[in-house]
Amino acid sequence: MGRATVFFALLVGAALSACCGNGSDGAPGTIDGEITVFAASSLSEAFKEVGAAFEKANPGTEVTFSFAASSALAVQINEGAPADVFASADTAQMKNVVDQGNAEGSAVFTTNTPVVVVPKDGKAVATFADIAKPGIKLVLAGKDVPIGRYAREVLAKASGTGGVSPDFSDRVLANLKSEEANVRAVLAKIQLGEADAGVVYRTDIVAAAGDVRVIEIPAPYNVLAEYSIAVVPGSPNNATAAAFTAFVRSADGQAILEKYGFAAP
Amino acid sequence: MRTDRTALVTLLVLSAAFAAFFVLPFAGLAKRAIEDGKTWELARSGTAQAALWLSVWTSTVTLGPDDRFGTPVAYLLSRARFPGKAIVDAAIDLPIVLPPTVAGVALLTAFGRRGLVGEPIEAWTGQTFAFTTMAVIMAQVLVAAPFYVRAARSGFDSVDRRAEAVAYTLGASKTRTFFRIVLPQVRPAIMAGTVLCWARAMGELGATLIFAGNLEGTTQTMPLAIISAFEGSSLGLAGAIALSVMLLGVALGVLVVFRLVSNQETWQA
């Protein structure tokens, strides 16, 4: 047997063991083993703590997270990504996944509020109406990213009757310089001072400690961001996935979310 | 004999495995693009057309600075001896090994509104780079340059020095020798480097996303439009696939045309 054959055999062996690894998923019905939670970017800090608390309360479990825009996560789950739980920053992206049969039992578990953020030393924008001033560099998340959609809803409301002005939305969107992939990318552009204003969630400010200032969106124009969570059916670890969603909605889970500025539904 | 045959079989099996791995993703893409009835319609959408046009022209513009400034650098690296040359050599290759996102962050720290030169430039001229097509080109110039410089350098390395020496003995000036003797020999390498550079610029994503932002018509090149579509923009996954196929087609077309042209030149030479 030539050396090359041995090498080839080793290669195949390595490929097989790499591709078909099967982590320690607990037996059906018991709460242990690994789960993967696909969660909205804005949940990054809060969910890491929720995950740690869940692992502590349920020894033998391990929660790993994939944080991204809910719209991106929805596409990935619908394409068969190995998620056990989906936590979306809106109900629209959750519906996309539920409609395709890739999530079930969805429920709103927390809420958040959009705010305008500006660089700490930024002078260009002082009030909500200022974001329509010509020359302002504005960044928003993409139209289908939940925070991007909420921001556009806010602009539409501010252009309606009793709003700032009928052309408010048009004037603001004329200042749009970039459509970012997720809420944290918007925040980064403000932290860096590249853009003059952006729209993120109130809870995101934690991640930009001190680099940004918040300008409130007047209540009549603002919207409530409703986050929903669901189990992905066919998850090999359904019991643990269900236990995690229950934990998020329990008093313990809600207390952690509130600590990070989220509000009860 | 037996060992020979084993070696041959192994070679073939390994090559086949590699080829399958290489071809399958493109086959998957093509299958989805064909099955999805909207591919043609999506490829003709405004977003796709704007992104393709922006990608093609910015990648072409990128060749200007990379060729103009890269050629002297390649020549120096090939001919000159100076202390720390190894470090300069390695530094030029940096954009190849670093993730493009690092290049994007680095560009921000230099040319961003709070960057080393970005801040004084804004103070003097009011000009900022982020969110402009200029930033797209700057990102592409940075990440694509090493591909050009490397190719051109290896071209200079393989120049026949005797012909150069003969030119000098015949009384030709340095400049004349460079343009009449050296450059023609380096041309194929420069052409190859130019194509690599262009292709790398066409595929640039990370640095652009961070440094230039993402807005249709201004900074949204094909790779950015594809990732936006994949991440749930109105084009959706079908759009991401349609745009990917478009980009593949254009890139493949350019590479094939280049091969044909350069083969023809080799025959004529």
Side-chain angles (χ1 to χ4, degrees):
Chain A
M1 191 153 128
R3 203 187 289 172
T5 323
V6 176
F7 173 73
F8 180 61
L10 283 175
L11 197 77
V12 169
L16 285 177
S17 62
C19 82
C20 310
N22 195 3
S24 61
D25 294 329
T30 56
I31 297 168
D32 62 0
E34 292 169 23
I35 54 165
T36 304
V37 176
F38 278 29
S41 300
S42 47
L43 291 166
S44 299
E45 291 78 20
F47 257 32
K48 274 180 200 152
E49 191 174 331
V50 170
F54 176 76
E55 286 169 0
K56 209 171 156 200
N58 299 278
T61 59
E62 201 183 323
V63 186
T64 44
F65 292 103
S66 174
F67 295 108
S70 306
S71 45
L73 296 171
V75 173
Q76 290 169 8
I77 294 173
N78 282 338
E79 277 300 301
D84 298 293
V85 174
F86 177 38
S88 169
D90 66 3
T91 47
Q93 292 300 337
M94 179 59 83
K95 188 174 178 297
N96 276 345
V97 177
V98 171
D99 285 351
Q100 304 234 358
N102 292 321
E104 59 190 17
S106 81
V108 173
F109 68 97
T110 198
T111 63
N112 209 341
T113 333
V115 293
V116 172
V117 276
V118 299
K120 184 181 57 186
D121 50 2
K123 293 173 189 72
V125 174
T127 67
F128 173 69
D130 282 351
I131 61 174
K133 281 199 306 199
I136 294 293
K137 293 181 168 64
L138 176 81
V139 287
L140 297 176
K143 292 179 204 66
D144 296 87
V145 177
I147 188 64
R149 202 169 46 74
Y150 291 135
R152 286 165 177 82
E153 280 174 28
V154 166
L155 297 179
K157 278 177 127 179
S159 311
T161 39
V164 182
S165 68
D167 62 347
F168 184 71
S169 181
D170 293 339
R171 285 191 293 137
V172 172
L173 291 176
N175 289 336
L176 183 60
K177 293 292 176 193
S178 184
E179 296 188 299
E180 298 292 327
N182 61 61
V183 66
R184 293 300 165 89
V186 175
L187 188 65
K189 289 280 195 277
I190 306 297
Q191 268 182 287
L192 287 161
E194 291 303 329
D196 298 316
V199 174
V200 301
Y201 298 110
R202 182 185 307 288
T203 55
D204 290 310
I205 314 307
V206 184
D211 289 339
V212 299
R213 259 183 321 122
V214 169
I215 293 172
E216 297 289 341
I217 296 170
Y221 319 139
N222 215 343
V223 294
L224 187 68
E226 291 187 309
Y227 287 56
S228 57
I229 194 165
V231 172
V232 178
S235 143
N237 206 350
N238 230 301
T240 310
F244 180 80
T245 59
F247 185 82
V248 169
R249 299 173 67 192
S250 74
D252 289 345
Q254 291 293 310
I256 295 170
L257 284 165
E258 269 164 42
K259 201 173 88 182
Y260 284 91
F262 291 89
Chain B
M1 272 310 277
R2 235 187 68 82
T3 324
D4 275 1
R5 183 181 289 173
T6 317
L8 182 66
V9 168
T10 312
L11 195 70
L12 287 177
V13 168
L14 287 178
S15 303
F18 182 76
F21 180 70
F22 196 80
V23 167
L24 279 174
F26 298 106
L29 203 57
K31 180 173 177 280
R32 282 285 279 266
I34 292 163
E35 279 175 6
D36 193 289
K38 286 188 298 181
T39 301
W40 180 239
E41 186 187 319
L42 286 165
R44 294 189 352 171
S45 65
T47 305
Q49 295 291 322
L52 184 64
W53 171 236
L54 187 69
S55 268
V56 167
W57 85 257
T58 56
S59 300
T60 307
V61 167
T62 296
L63 297 176
D66 274 348
D67 280 18
R68 193 137 310 149
F69 300 106
T71 312
V73 170
Y75 184 70
L76 279 178
L77 283 174
S78 174
R79 294 297 169 86
R81 291 205 195 97
F82 53 89
K85 187 178 166 187
I87 297 173
V88 175
D89 236 349
I92 284 176
D93 281 348
L94 267 183
I96 296 183
V97 288
L98 285 181
T101 42
V102 176
V105 174
L107 279 166
L108 273 179
T109 57
F111 299 102
R113 278 171 110 176
R114 290 173 185 167
L116 279 178
V117 293
E119 191 164 358
I121 287 175
E122 189 185 359
W124 292 333
T125 66
Q127 182 64 46
T128 58
F129 294 102
F131 313 126
T132 64
T133 310
M134 181 68 174
V136 174
I137 295 168
M138 287 165 80
Q140 290 175 356
V141 166
L142 181 66
V143 298
F147 291 88
Y148 177 76
V149 172
R150 278 185 139 205
R153 192 209 154 147
S154 68
F156 284 119
D157 282 346
S158 60
V159 165
D160 183 1
R161 303 294 292 264
R162 281 171 308 179
E164 248 183 293
V166 169
Y168 291 139
T169 33
L170 292 177
S173 69
K174 278 222 150 189
T175 323
R176 193 174 154 82
T177 309
F178 180 81
F179 283 105
R180 299 298 293 271
I181 307 291
V182 179
L183 216 50
Q185 288 188 58
V186 185
R187 244 192 105 208
I190 284 185
M191 287 286 282
T194 303
V195 169
L196 275 178
C197 181
W198 186 84
R200 177 64 190 87
M202 279 291 281
E204 165 44 36
L205 166 70
T208 313
L209 212 46
I210 288 186
F211 180 53
N214 178 26
L215 193 69
E216 188 180 321
T218 311
T219 53
Q220 192 180 71
T221 55
M222 279 300 260
L224 272 71
I226 291 169
I227 196 153
S228 302
F230 181 76
E231 289 184 331
S233 85
S234 49
L235 288 179
L237 189 62
I241 290 166
L243 267 71
S244 302
V245 171
M246 278 169 85
L247 189 56
L248 266 178
V250 170
L252 201 63
V254 167
L255 291 177
V256 167
V257 165
F258 170 71
R259 278 287 146 82
L260 291 177
V261 168
S262 62
N263 280 350
Q264 216 159 36
E265 276 187 2
T266 325
W267 291 336
Q268 284 167 354

